[in-house]
Amino acid sequence: METTNNSTFVIFLGILVVLNVVNATVVDHCLLGNGTLPDQVELANCLTPPCIFYISGNSTMTMKFRSPRYMENFAPNAVALAMGIKVDYPLDQDDACDGVTNTPCPLAENEYIEYTYSMYILPIFPKISFTLEFALVDKDQDNEQFECFRVEIQLEDLPNGSG
């Protein structure tokens, strides 16, 4: 009887793992820095790139990872790469603690972190495809990247002219 209970538990655990990964977006390691690829990245409404971001709209993403060390001061950083040009994308968050949703800051070493950021896509951008590298940097370590992912993005107009 105990073997049946153990088998059922293993199957249940496997289902939970699969369900947890189902919403994950396929992303790659960054090429511009040396940050670690997060355990999981979820870009809203996107499992497989290119991911659609809407001009004059918000695009939300969540990173899940373990903190590599104790950290008090860290911030998000975004770089867009298009047509051979690298452009730092201005973000309106200087303190990434504002995006940590599951624990208070400062972060403890090896602590499981869920970080969410909603990025507004400026209306000045044209409908183009580009590569986005999104990182978290440790401001107390000369802005050293500690988490980073790379993903292909397609900018499009908001559907139905809404906005």
Side-chain angles (χ1 to χ4, degrees), residues 83-134:
M83 298 176 280
I85 300 170
K86 177 183 128 182
V87 177
D88 291 323
Y89 191 85
L91 300 176
D92 60 356
Q93 187 180 80
D94 190 47
D95 183 358
C97 282
D98 294 340
V100 175
T101 60
N102 68 318
T103 187
C105 283
L107 306 182
E109 183 176 356
N110 203 37
E111 183 174 15
Y112 177 74
I113 307 298
E114 291 183 11
Y115 169 80
T116 299
Y117 184 81
S118 184
M119 179 184 292
Y120 178 71
I121 307 304
L122 297 170
I124 60 170
F125 284 104
K127 292 188 283 185
I128 62 168
S129 295
F130 65 95
T131 301
L132 173 70
E133 288 203 5
F134 189 95

Side-chain angles (χ1 to χ4, degrees), residues 13-82:
L13 189 59
I15 290 170
L16 284 178
V17 168
V18 168
L19 289 176
N20 191 35
V21 176
V22 166
N23 293 328
T25 304
V26 176
V27 296
D28 294 314
H29 289 274
C30 287
L31 299 178
L32 300 177
N34 58 356
T36 302
L37 188 66
D39 295 333
Q40 186 173 333
V41 174
E42 298 168 5
L43 286 143
N45 303 313
C46 181
L47 297 178
T48 305
C51 297
I52 306 301
F53 282 14
Y54 293 107
I55 298 167
S56 298
N58 284 310
S59 293
T60 302
M61 66 103 217
T62 299
M63 296 169 62
K64 298 177 181 180
F65 61 93
R66 293 213 171 263
S67 177
R69 59 185 165 271
Y70 174 86
M71 281 190 280
E72 292 184 29
N73 301 302
F74 61 104
N77 177 270
V79 175
L81 300 129

Side-chain angles (χ1 to χ4, degrees), residues 55-56 158-163:
I55 298 167
S56 298
L158 282 167
N160 302 323
S162 60

